[in-house]
Amino acid sequence: MDLRPRSNETVPPAVSSGMAPEVFYITGAGGRLTNGLGQALINLKIPYAGMEISKYISSRDRLKKLSSLISEFMKRDGCKVFAVSAGAFLFLKYIATHHNPHLHVTFFSPVLVPAEEFNFHSNMVGSLRIVLGDEDPVCPLHVAEAFNDSFQSSILRVVEKAGHQLPHDVVREEIIGLMEI
């Protein structure tokens, strides 16, 4: 399967040039692969593939598409995933049935639900880092803390005085940190 999006979707420059992606990026709802975190990846010259979360596609179809794209990404030895907001929630649905203990995952401002709503195992991913603003109205801090406590290989970073949109320097620092793994 080709990781390049269809012609009506945004194509990350590294993927359109045929380079093997080092990162898989799942946008938030309505996000674009070349905006926000995607722009930071472009600026850092990190080749990436990804999936945009469209509100016009059913949840089941999004999960099916993500499963296919992640499978192709991992066949090319990819192991680093960034997911933003609703993209993090979609990824949680994916790993609930597709354990990938070699993946290193970072969630930015994730949409989380109480961990007991998912059937988690400590080996679902190799590592999980959650980066959240302490004033994020989408994911209350207590939900993220409880989720983090229930997931063995998880680390929670709380950014003070930040809401759902995290500061660019924090995002850049987290990208660089994941790339060093």
Side-chain angles (χ1 to χ4, degrees):
M1 170 178 244
D2 189 359
L3 287 174
R4 288 177 273 193
R6 290 184 206 93
S7 60
N8 63 340
E9 296 175 317
T10 307
V11 180
V15 172
S16 64
S17 69
M19 295 173 67
E22 294 179 27
V23 170
F24 193 88
Y25 164 39
I26 309 164
T27 71
R32 305 299 287 174
L33 286 171
T34 55
N35 294 345
L37 192 140
Q39 186 61 54
L41 293 168
I42 291 167
N43 292 345
L44 291 167
K45 297 181 179 8
I46 299 170
Y48 68 100
M51 179 178 159
E52 295 176 349
I53 304 296
S54 170
K55 55 188 168 192
Y56 303 108
I57 298 174
S58 74
S59 178
R60 171 181 269 156
D61 288 344
R62 281 192 295 252
L63 191 56
K64 193 174 171 182
K65 180 179 177 181
L66 177 63
S67 180
S68 176
L69 291 171
I70 288 281
S71 176
E72 184 63 27
F73 173 70
M74 289 187 310
K75 283 180 190 173
R76 298 177 82 181
D77 296 322
C79 67
K80 296 171 182 165
V81 176
F82 291 115
V84 177
S85 191
F89 184 75
L90 179 64
F91 188 78
L92 285 174
K93 286 183 171 183
Y94 167 78
I95 64 168
T97 57
H98 299 84
H99 300 182
N100 294 299
H102 70 284
L103 289 179
H104 300 284
V105 181
T106 300
F107 288 165
F108 291 102
S109 302
V111 173
L112 296 174
V113 296
E116 57 271 7
E117 292 187 27
F118 285 96
N119 185 22
F120 287 116
H121 302 282
S122 61
N123 67 344
M124 294 178 90
V125 294
S127 66
L128 174 63
R129 188 161 173 86
I130 301 167
V131 184
L132 177 77
D134 67 346
E135 298 173 5
D136 190 331
V138 176
C139 182
L141 186 55
H142 72 278
V143 172
E145 288 171 335
F147 184 89
N148 184 64
D149 291 345
S150 68
F151 198 76
Q152 200 169 37
S153 62
S154 179
I155 296 171
L156 175 64
R157 177 181 179 186
V158 179
V159 181
E160 290 187 27
K161 297 182 177 139
H164 197 62
Q165 301 295 323
L166 295 169
H168 294 275
D169 59 325
V170 169
V171 172
R172 181 180 172 86
E173 180 182 305
E174 291 292 333
I175 291 170
I176 292 168
L178 183 63
M179 297 312 295
E180 291 174 353
I181 293 176

